[in-house]
Amino acid sequence: MKDSIPSQVIKNRRLCFSLGKNDFKNKFAGSYLGIFWAFVQPIITILVYWFVFAKALNGGTQATKAGITVPYVLYLTAGMVPWFYFSEAVTTGTNALIEYQYLVKKVVFNVEILPVVKMISAVFVHLFFIVFTIIFCWIMGYPPSVTTVQLLYYSFCMVMLVAGLVYFNSAIVVFFRDMSQIIGIMMQILVWMTPIMWNIDSMKMIGKLPRWLEIILKLNPMYYVISGYRDSIFDHVWFFERGWINFSFWVITLFCMWFGGYVFRKLKPHFADML
């Protein structure tokens, strides 16, 4: 297994981190405010959603917010922070091989690390927003507790999920360039299907969510991650209290990792020719 993707990533971990750091810096090269923009856009997005759901459409969204015991802005922030990383890493990771095609064409370069470079690049902003969310909740009267340490576990869960998706997407997009457009559309659909701005439990209690649909929505791996962030920050629920959802998440995630890696390795010999 010395040539497996995990072993290649571990072996070249210093190079991965260096390329990831440079990738993050290069995103904003040439702009006056530089990496400042990486933090501004997510904050503005959260504020827009908060204004729409908590203020502009307050009366019409009471059913979707019922059962939320913390200020809605905290509930929204804890859900958006992991989503920002997931969306950014999957979207940019899909195009990793195309963006770094000059490295793919080098015979001696290990292309297995390129998807990870994009994942590392997105981590820098994510770490900032984890700290920001913890401090923000503290200010709002929800100080850190022992369950806050679970953020490490749920972040790891999300990275593993992203890895499987990114390796599959980045391999397919080399042969089918429309894949990047499809991923963009899927992100727009998933952001609404995932209980980020609405409470799935309240919808179930008022009878607006059939049991079969509830199960399907909860099988979404990002439901597990986002619920876990909220459990860790202000609901104070341990991951092992979540029952069957733990098992379903890891079954789906491990399958994505295996299948994504399998497809990537099978198509790898043809990358240079197609690019």
Side-chain angles (χ1 to χ4, degrees):
M1 296 295 290
K2 65 178 182 178
D3 293 327
S4 65
I5 290 177
S7 65
Q8 289 293 335
V9 171
I10 294 173
K11 178 182 178 181
N12 297 279
R13 58 188 180 277
R14 293 183 181 274
L15 179 59
C16 287
F17 182 79
S18 177
L19 289 174
K21 183 172 64 174
N22 290 334
D23 183 90
F24 175 67
K25 291 179 179 179
N26 291 336
K27 287 180 184 178
F28 310 97
S31 64
Y32 287 108
L33 298 180
I35 63 174
F36 176 73
W37 293 114
F39 307 100
V40 171
Q41 184 176 353
I43 291 176
I44 292 177
T45 302
I46 291 173
L47 290 176
V48 169
Y49 282 133
W50 169 77
F51 175 78
V52 170
F53 282 86
K55 301 298 179 181
L57 300 178
N58 187 50
T61 58
Q62 288 304 310
T64 62
K65 295 186 293 183
I68 299 176
T69 58
V70 299
Y72 183 69
V73 67
L74 298 186
Y75 183 87
L76 180 62
T77 301
M80 291 301 295
V81 166
W83 178 262
F84 285 143
Y85 174 80
F86 176 78
S87 179
E88 172 74 11
V90 171
T91 302
T92 59
T94 296
N95 297 308
L97 299 182
I98 295 176
E99 184 175 339
Y100 288 100
Q101 57 182 282
Y102 63 93
L103 293 177
V104 176
K105 294 178 180 180
K106 289 187 176 182
V107 178
V108 297
F109 189 82
N110 295 313
V111 298
E112 289 90 345
I113 73 173
L114 292 178
V116 176
V117 168
K118 290 296 184 179
M119 293 169 60
I120 293 175
S121 176
V123 159
F124 296 109
V125 175
H126 184 62
L127 292 176
F128 167 83
F129 276 103
I130 286 180
V131 176
F132 169 83
T133 303
I134 293 173
I135 295 175
F136 183 40
C137 289
W138 198 344
I139 293 172
M140 295 288 287
Y142 296 85
S145 68
V146 64
T147 58
T148 306
V149 73
Q150 288 184 130
L151 288 173
L152 297 174
Y153 164 73
Y154 284 110
S155 294
F156 173 76
C157 290
M158 181 167 56
V159 168
M160 294 297 101
L161 172 64
V162 169
L165 297 176
V166 163
Y167 274 100
F168 174 80
N169 294 343
S170 62
I172 297 298
V173 78
V174 173
F175 302 87
F176 181 60
R177 298 300 175 94
D178 290 346
M179 186 68 174
S180 59
Q181 304 301 322
I182 293 173
I183 294 301
I185 294 173
M186 289 301 299
M187 288 297 116
Q188 295 180 43
I189 296 174
L190 283 174
V191 72
W192 295 104
M193 291 184 63
T194 306
I196 298 173
M197 291 153 279
W198 52 282
N199 185 1
I200 191 171
D201 294 321
S202 68
M203 296 293 287
K204 176 181 65 175
M205 288 187 292
I206 63 177
K208 291 189 176 182
L209 195 66
R211 176 61 177 169
W212 63 269
L213 182 56
E214 175 197 350
I215 294 175
I216 291 176
L217 292 174
K218 287 187 174 182
L219 285 175
N220 174 1
M222 279 306 292
Y223 164 78
Y224 177 77
V225 173
I226 289 171
S227 297
Y229 270 60
R230 289 168 176 156
D231 289 345
S232 304
I233 297 171
F234 46 71
D235 285 338
H236 309 305
V237 178
W238 290 102
F239 74 92
F240 50 79
E241 298 179 58
R242 284 300 181 180
W244 67 271
I245 200 70
N246 290 293
F247 176 76
S248 66
F249 171 83
W250 280 111
V251 168
I252 294 172
T253 298
L254 290 175
F255 173 78
C256 287
M257 292 177 65
W258 169 79
F259 188 67
Y262 174 80
V263 171
F264 189 93
R265 296 304 297 271
K266 282 293 184 180
L267 297 180
K268 176 186 171 183
H270 309 289
F271 288 160
D273 295 334
M274 296 301 298
L275 292 172

